[in-house]
Structures are given as C-alpha cells and as structure tokens.
Amino acid sequence: NAGVTQTPKFQVLKTGQSMTLQCAQDMNHNSMYWYRQDPGMGLRLIYYSASEGTTDKGEVPNGYNVSRLNKREFSLRLESAAPSQTSVYFCASLTSGVSYEQYFGPGTRLTVT
Amino acid sequence: GENVEQHPSTLSVQEGDSAVIKCTYSDSASNYFPWYKQELGKGPQLIIDIRSNVGEKKDQRIAVTLNKTAKHFSLHITETQPEDSAVYFCAASRGSARQLTFGSGTQLTVLP
C-alpha cells in the first residue's frame, strides 16, 4: 500500500495563478483532510470530507476550494493564489472504526511570488 | 472552538536524558489526545494517543499523561536517542467530530 500520496511535491506560482493539489489514499478510508503548515503555527485545517460526496470548511477555508472526486481522491484548488498561501500543504485520511488515527501524506511545498 | 497550546517550542537534551513536552486545551468536551512526530521533509506520524478515560499510557520509551481537571496533557520520552530528534505535535479532538486541533509544535533536538 502506498498510503496517502500527494502531487506535486513542490510548486512555485505567481500571484493570481491557479492550481490544484492532488491527494489520493489506498486504505479505503472514509474521511479525508487538507491542512496547511506554517512556521510556529502547527497544522491548521482547511477543509475536510467526512465521506464521499460531502465536504466541510475547517479553520482556514478562505481562498480554497475542494473536491471529493471519489472515495480515494480529495483535491484542493487555489483559484487565485496569493503570497499568504505560501505554505506546506498536507493531505490526511482517517482510519475507519473506533480508532482516530490520521495518516498524512508527504506534503506539497507551495511558494507564491 | 478548541484551542491547544504547546510548550516549549524548542527543546534540546543530551542523549540518554528525558524530554517532556506539555500541552493545554480549552474545550472540556475534548476526549482524544494524540501526539504526532514529524521528521524533516515528511508528514506527521502518530506515535501515541490517549483517551479521556485514561490517565496515563506507555509504549516503550514514550508515555503520555492526561489531567482532565487541569485540561493538560504531556509527552514523556525517556532515554532519548538521536533518532528522536524531530518536531512533535500534540492535538485534541472531540472524537465524534473526528477533527483534530493541533498545537504549534516542539522542535526536539537530541545532542550526541
């Protein structure tokens, strides 16, 4: 099993450009998450999807949109990138059942100039 | 919403010594408290967790303690090794919501 995969690993955008970050998991998990990680601020939840077909806002959703394409894939879109969106983005999925362990992908380092 | 504070932000210890990282949370309804370890260039990985009906949990050199009354929990690493060097995050959740609120992280450096 590959676990949680993310593409791309690195990306540089200019202000105003758009892009989509891709995430896929092969563990048959229902819930998936997008976080951003900034120095000294831990991980902050952008959006999550409790199950296929549903999405909800997290702590910092402004400037982002998401799509839960199917059970495996959960994408994050920046429609008009801003320098404040420079960050490392992590996707995660949640084990089903009574455990609450989240499995994280390797991250995407995004720089907006 | 939930707020999790984590201290210290950086911690250096000599190899073989113990390390302690502390977190406080604000939401008394939180009942699940995991700790994640993040190595350089990688995503966080769960190392230990505790639920609110338990006061302490151990796994080899790692232990977590929870004080519900004071709303704080701590990570204890004994006999530290260089490979313990990483960023550690605490988190809290009302388990039914399945969302985690993370602390700001602690950079642990184990000096040989």
Side-chain angles (χ1 to χ4, degrees), chain A residues 10 19 21 29 56 63 74 76 78 110:
Chain A
F10 303 94
M19 78 160 296
L21 282 64
H29 292 166
D56 286 287
F74 188 37
L76 178 72
L78 287 71
L110 175 67

Side-chain angles (χ1 to χ4, degrees), chain A residues 33 35 37 40 42-43 45 48 90 94-95 97-98 100-102 104-105, chain B residues 32 36 38 41-44 46 51 89 95-96 98-100 102-104:
Chain A
Y33 306 80
Y35 294 91
Q37 184 177 29
L43 294 117
L45 183 65
Y48 69 100
F90 287 99
L94 180 70
T95 55
V98 297
Y100 299 132
E101 179 174 359
Q102 291 192 15
F104 285 81
Chain B
Y32 174 67
Y36 283 79
Q38 186 178 26
K42 297 184 178 181
L46 180 72
R51 299 176 193 273
F89 291 98
S96 61
R98 304 208 162 208
Q99 294 180 47
L100 294 175
F102 285 85
S104 54

Side-chain angles (χ1 to χ4, degrees), chain A residues 48-56 68 74:
Chain A
Y48 69 100
S49 171
S51 62
E52 185 179 355
T54 68
T55 61
D56 286 287
R68 183 74 182 268
F74 188 37

Side-chain angles (χ1 to χ4, degrees), chain A:
Chain A
N1 288 348
V4 179
T5 57
Q6 293 183 237
T7 56
K9 292 187 184 298
F10 303 94
Q11 183 71 48
V12 179
L13 292 178
K14 293 184 177 180
T15 298
Q17 288 185 320
S18 62
M19 78 160 296
T20 299
L21 282 64
Q22 306 287 353
C23 173
Q25 53 92 8
D26 62 1
M27 297 173 283
N28 201 37
H29 292 166
N30 288 323
S31 301
M32 298 184 72
Y33 306 80
W34 276 105
Y35 294 91
R36 61 178 288 172
Q37 184 177 29
D38 302 294
M41 300 187 74
L43 294 117
R44 292 182 292 169
L45 183 65
I46 305 171
Y47 269 94
Y48 69 100
S49 171
S51 62
E52 185 179 355
T54 68
T55 61
D56 286 287
K57 296 178 180 179
E59 180 186 355
V60 288
N62 291 345
Y64 306 95
N65 285 300
V66 291
S67 294
R68 183 74 182 268
L69 305 170
N70 48 54
K71 192 170 185 178
R72 290 187 64 248
E73 298 172 290
F74 188 37
S75 63
L76 178 72
R77 182 161 179 83
L78 287 71
E79 290 291 352
S80 179
S84 60
Q85 294 178 304
T86 293
S87 188
V88 181
Y89 291 86
F90 287 99
C91 177
S93 67
L94 180 70
T95 55
S96 303
V98 297
S99 171
Y100 299 132
E101 179 174 359
Q102 291 192 15
Y103 288 85
F104 285 81
T108 295
R109 184 174 294 275
L110 175 67
T111 302
V112 183
T113 61

Side-chain angles (χ1 to χ4, degrees), chain B residues 58-63 76-81 83-84:
Chain B
K58 290 183 179 180
D59 183 4
Q60 299 181 9
R61 297 185 297 107
I62 294 173
H76 305 253
I77 306 174
T78 58
E79 302 173 14
T80 53
Q81 301 168 3
E83 53 264 39
D84 294 329

